Amino acid sequence: MPGYGRADSEWDVLVDAGRGFLVERAKLGKLTSYTELSVTLAKRTGCRAFDFERADERAAVGHLLGLIVERDQEIAPSDPPVMLSALVNYLGANDAGSGFYQLAKEIRLLPMSASADEKFEFWITQVKRLYERHGASPAVA
């Protein structure tokens, strides 16, 4: 699991803390941003925050979110699967990032040929399922 200038042990800490934070957000029925995720993880773990000015650091956050999705499925499998990373979006955006949809395609939750409308509907469904799974009232739109 090494890469992006971080040790395996750091990735483990970031995945656990990231999953915990996203579960908290789901319980509250709230989304978060990449920036809030990074700041929260830095505070909770002592690991350095991600530098979104750098392409490799943006890719590292995507990598982290993929690892969180994997870990969540190991700890709390669901059918149909839900992706905790659905709760993370860009500041000022009302949608997930492109990496979210790519991962959904890779794990066969979304067709490779999905239209923009299909992607958006998939994201909304994922968020609603996460809120339901964690006992929150969905307020997505």
Side-chain angles (χ1 to χ4, degrees):
M1 207 174 2
Y4 302 101
R6 296 178 189 255
D8 286 346
S9 57
E10 189 174 356
W11 282 113
D12 289 338
V13 168
L14 288 168
V15 170
D16 289 340
R19 181 182 179 276
F21 174 65
L22 293 179
V23 167
E24 289 169 16
R25 300 304 292 176
K27 287 178 180 178
L28 293 171
K30 300 207 179 252
L31 301 174
T32 190
S33 68
Y34 288 93
T35 301
E36 183 180 29
L37 175 68
S38 178
V39 168
T40 300
L41 292 180
K43 286 180 183 175
R44 290 185 181 184
T45 67
C47 297
R48 67 180 163 80
F50 293 91
D51 179 358
F52 295 113
E53 297 295 317
R54 294 177 40 186
D56 62 329
E57 289 282 293
R58 292 191 300 272
V61 172
H63 176 71
L64 172 63
L65 290 170
L67 294 173
I68 290 170
V69 168
E70 284 179 24
R71 176 81 45 89
D72 188 57
Q73 281 300 304
E74 292 168 4
I75 293 171
S78 59
D79 189 26
V82 291
M83 297 172 62
L84 269 174
S85 60
L87 300 178
V88 183
N89 58 15
Y90 296 110
L91 280 174
N94 192 25
D95 195 356
S98 59
F100 168 78
Y101 298 112
Q102 185 58 41
L103 179 58
K105 290 175 182 179
E106 288 171 13
I107 61 177
R108 298 189 173 143
L109 296 180
L110 190 63
M112 288 292 185
S113 62
S115 68
D117 287 343
E118 289 171 320
K119 290 176 183 177
F120 189 70
E121 186 59 39
F122 172 77
W123 173 70
I124 289 172
T125 300
Q126 286 288 299
V127 171
K128 287 180 180 179
R129 286 183 180 151
L130 285 162
Y131 290 170
E132 289 167 5
R133 172 177 154 186
H134 294 287
S137 298
V140 175

